[in-house]
Amino acid sequence: MTQTASSRRPGVLGVHSLDHFCLSVPDLPVAGAFYAAFGLEIRADGAKLGLYTAGSAHRWGVLTEGPRKQLHHISFGAFAEDFPRLRDRIEQSGTLRLDSPPGFDSDGLWFRDVDRTLLEVRVAEKSSPDRKASFENSSVPAGERGAPYRSNAPRIRPRRLSHVLLFTGDIGKTITFYQNILGLRLSDHCGNGIAFMHGIHGSDHHVIAFARSTAPGLHHCSWDVGSVNEIGLGAMQMATAGFGAGWGMGRHVLGSNYFHYVRDPWGSHSEYSADIDYIPADVDWHSSDHPPEDAMHLWGPEMPADFVFNYEATEAKLRS
Ligand SMILES: [Fe+2]
């Protein structure tokens, strides 16, 4: 994928992709083992670990060691020709520009959102897809066996990062910030409890979402796979590796994706996601406020009581 071939909406200014996320974790080998079991490729990058998907050179996630699990930063990708105007917009908004954090040399624009979550905007190739991802729903003719033997079940390897869900102290202020500074657009929301935002140059229904909490934090990262069958196989793959806790399988209402969430060693989650709604660059998505019963799932098991719990806030409080 090259920048010249990427979809873009003319006449508007905004980032095109969620480029990557970065997590501090207390034990890098434990984190690397979790994401490797999930089906990602783990590559050492100095003292950090990079998260990659098979066959892609894009680094979707970075793990760095810290005293506790904590969201380190979120990085967004922008077209090179938009970068100076995005810089001007950030500065004119009164948002304080920061130096890149120690160990993260970059030419990006660093600043904090309304929850003081560290953000970066950098020039990057568009990693948000230009079209809806393929989705397989295959069957076989009568007289043939459709399922492989379990001993031949394929190893599941996600295709790309789809989105992250962050905690925020104020959904309304956060939506306004990400609209005005980054140019994202609101896809759907449920009152001031949860909100989903997409990129203006063609992206999934949400590249970033927010759930209300008392403090910032990462709730989950979501990875695209190609079928419901792959979600089920991924869930089995993780249960076999000792990561059986989570939520799923089910289907979301907002975003429409089929899902299974796997709980990581720190109480946040990684999601296998398939067939999420796609918003092309030339489509104005009708954003709506939905009642709580439509906010989470169309079908599936009941959500675990502690599923939307901000363990980062709890740990920060315990250590303060
Ligand atoms: Fe998700």
Side-chain angles (χ1 to χ4, degrees):
M1 192 188 297
T2 65
Q3 284 193 27
T4 49
S6 297
S7 65
R8 69 166 298 159
R9 173 181 284 235
V12 290
L13 181 63
V15 298
H16 55 57
S17 304
L18 166 67
D19 190 78
H20 68 268
F21 66 96
C22 178
L23 275 185
S24 291
V25 292
D27 192 324
L28 272 181
V30 168
F34 173 82
Y35 289 107
F38 194 77
L40 303 179
E41 293 185 0
I42 316 300
R43 298 178 200 163
D45 178 9
K48 301 189 279 288
L49 296 179
L51 304 182
Y52 296 80
T53 45
S56 169
H58 190 86
R59 187 180 63 170
W60 303 104
V62 179
L63 305 173
T64 183
E65 199 152 288
R68 60 190 178 93
K69 178 257 172 176
Q70 188 175 25
L71 178 62
H72 188 283
H73 69 263
I74 300 288
S75 181
F76 292 92
F79 293 116
E81 60 269 32
D82 291 343
F83 193 73
R85 288 193 297 146
L86 284 165
R87 182 187 58 218
D88 292 347
R89 179 195 269 176
I90 292 165
E91 291 176 350
Q92 287 162 11
S93 73
T95 303
L96 189 64
R97 290 248 329 261
L98 305 169
D99 293 333
S100 54
F104 290 87
D105 287 337
S106 107
D107 296 329
L109 306 168
W110 293 87
F111 51 101
R112 294 187 184 278
D113 72 5
V114 297
D115 290 291
R116 298 194 50 72
T117 294
L118 186 60
L119 304 180
E120 180 194 25
V121 173
R122 62 197 292 262
V123 174
E125 287 196 2
K126 185 172 183 283
S127 51
S128 277
D130 290 337
R131 60 196 64 81
K132 187 168 182 178
S134 63
F135 178 69
E136 185 193 337
N137 193 12
S138 61
S139 183
V140 295
E144 294 184 19
R145 184 170 53 79
Y149 292 121
R150 190 161 164 179
S151 56
N152 291 335
R155 179 164 176 74
I156 298 308
R157 294 183 171 85
R159 301 185 291 195
R160 63 183 172 87
L161 177 67
S162 172
H163 58 269
V164 292
L165 191 151
L166 308 186
F167 291 110
T168 173
D170 191 314
I171 290 279
K173 281 184 185 171
T174 294
I175 292 170
T176 300
F177 181 90
Y178 281 77
Q179 279 177 337
N180 293 348
I181 304 295
L182 294 166
L184 299 180
R185 290 191 177 168
L186 183 63
S187 310
D188 287 294
H189 69 115
C190 173
N192 59 3
I194 191 163
F196 303 87
M197 303 190 79
H198 64 276
I200 53 178
H201 299 302
S203 82
D204 288 347
H205 172 271
H206 45 285
V207 295
I208 192 165
F210 301 97
R212 188 179 53 190
S213 179
T214 55
L218 174 77
H219 179 268
H220 74 262
C221 50
S222 178
W223 302 86
D224 178 73
V225 297
S227 68
V228 168
N229 195 46
E230 287 190 38
I231 294 177
L233 286 168
M236 286 291 289
Q237 177 173 304
M238 290 304 276
T240 302
F243 302 106
W247 182 39
M249 163 184 291
R251 189 180 193 189
H252 283 305
V253 177
L254 305 181
S256 305
N257 49 320
Y258 301 92
F259 66 83
H260 180 87
Y261 294 87
V262 184
R263 184 169 165 155
D264 69 24
W266 311 281
S268 43
H269 295 81
S270 287
E271 178 185 19
Y272 292 110
S273 167
D275 205 32
I276 193 168
D277 291 335
Y278 183 79
I279 304 178
D282 60 356
V283 167
D284 290 321
W285 184 265
H286 180 65
S287 169
S288 299
D289 185 3
H290 301 268
E293 62 267 29
D294 286 340
M296 293 308 287
H297 64 307
L298 175 66
W299 54 262
E302 284 306 303
M303 188 193 308
D306 65 346
F307 181 70
V308 190
F309 189 83
N310 189 353
Y311 287 95
E312 289 184 44
T314 311
E315 275 225 24
K317 209 169 179 180
L318 285 174
R319 287 166 182 265
S320 65

